[in-house]
Amino acid sequence: MGRLDGRVVIVTGAARGQGEQEARLFRAEGAEVLLADVLDDRGEALAKELGARYTHLDVGEEEDWQAAVATAKAAYGHVDGLVNNAGILRFHALVDTPLEEFMEVVRVNQTGCFLGVRTVAPELADGGTIVNTASYTGLTGMAGVGAYAASKHAVLGLTRVAALELAPRGIRVNAICPGAVDTAMANPARLDPDADPEQSVRALDGFYRKLVPLGRIGRPEEVARLALFLTSEDSSYITGQPFVIDGGWLAGVSVI
Ligand code: NAD
């Protein structure tokens, strides 16, 4: 018995990184998964490997969302879960951030999450689940990522309001707040075909040893297990909450 047997879940940003691992784990736990992304070749190939489906979905585009839900319903008949995972990160001090860049980060991270909830929630079977991917920076500040942090704080606001509004239908809405995770976002070497992935992870583990109590960068498979918990019946009495998965980074600073 899989923990998601009989459930149909849409995962955005599923072509790589945390979304890829969520799609893999959800399939392994018995779910039908609709992988959605803008990286069509990669998403198609992964869906084929997993025996799942892929759809092009730019999360900032209303029409793409409607098409994705229609695809899921045509293929599987119903939708039980959504993981709003797609996201982008840009680095600038706030005073140097071009308006265009700020708005693009908001479009993907915040508007994308809003459109996902707004489009998918009415279609969810009662008892459905939504997992929004916020961040460690949805709960605290980090210099150099102002647009991103603002958008991830907003994701937590959306999560709480959606949880309140959807609770009467038994739909649960929670958020994941990862710290640093070994994906292309935090480890650009993952996008370099000439780079040695093991070496890049060792270097990042060394960097985070000083910052993170558990002494290493997180792995996308670890985040996927949290997404599974929040999408399955194991979390049946939990809604409206942010779940920090950061190796203890947010716990505080050490002076010893
Ligand atoms: P990633 O860059 O590997 O994956 C992001 C995925 O989102 C990619 O597949 C990308 O194509 C997709 N995407 C980007 N824009 C999109 C759009 N407009 N529509 C649809 N898909 C789009 O990084 P990741 O770490 O796997 O990121 C997953 C989520 O985790 C993001 O929301 C990110 O903000 C969040 N997060 C990541 C970290 C980290 O350290 N990696 C930390 C905290 C939060």
Side-chain angles (χ1 to χ4, degrees), residues 21 90 103 207:
Q21 295 306 326
R90 299 287 182 267
M103 296 308 289
F207 176 74

Side-chain angles (χ1 to χ4, degrees), residues 12-20 22 36-39 42 56-61 64 84-89 104 107-109 133-137 148 152 176-187 190-191 208 217-218 220 223 245 249:
T12 70
R16 73 178 191 211
Q18 295 173 48
E20 172 182 344
E22 288 159 357
D37 208 300
V38 290
L39 299 175
R42 203 171 160 140
H56 176 91
L57 166 62
D58 179 339
V59 293
E61 296 297 322
D64 284 8
N84 272 319
N85 164 75
I88 58 172
L89 172 66
E104 179 60 6
R107 190 185 80 85
V108 176
N109 296 0
T133 307
S135 168
Y136 167 96
T137 60
Y148 183 82
K152 294 300 189 177
I176 291 179
C177 301
V181 181
D182 175 27
T183 66
M185 186 174 281
N187 182 6
R190 292 251 166 230
L191 297 178
Y208 284 102
I217 193 168
V223 179
I245 174 163
W249 201 359

Side-chain angles (χ1 to χ4, degrees), residues 154-179:
V155 167
L156 294 186
L158 287 169
T159 300
R160 292 178 174 120
V161 173
L164 295 173
E165 293 182 357
L166 297 172
R169 289 178 49 211
I171 294 171
R172 299 182 296 103
V173 188
N174 290 291
I176 291 179
C177 301

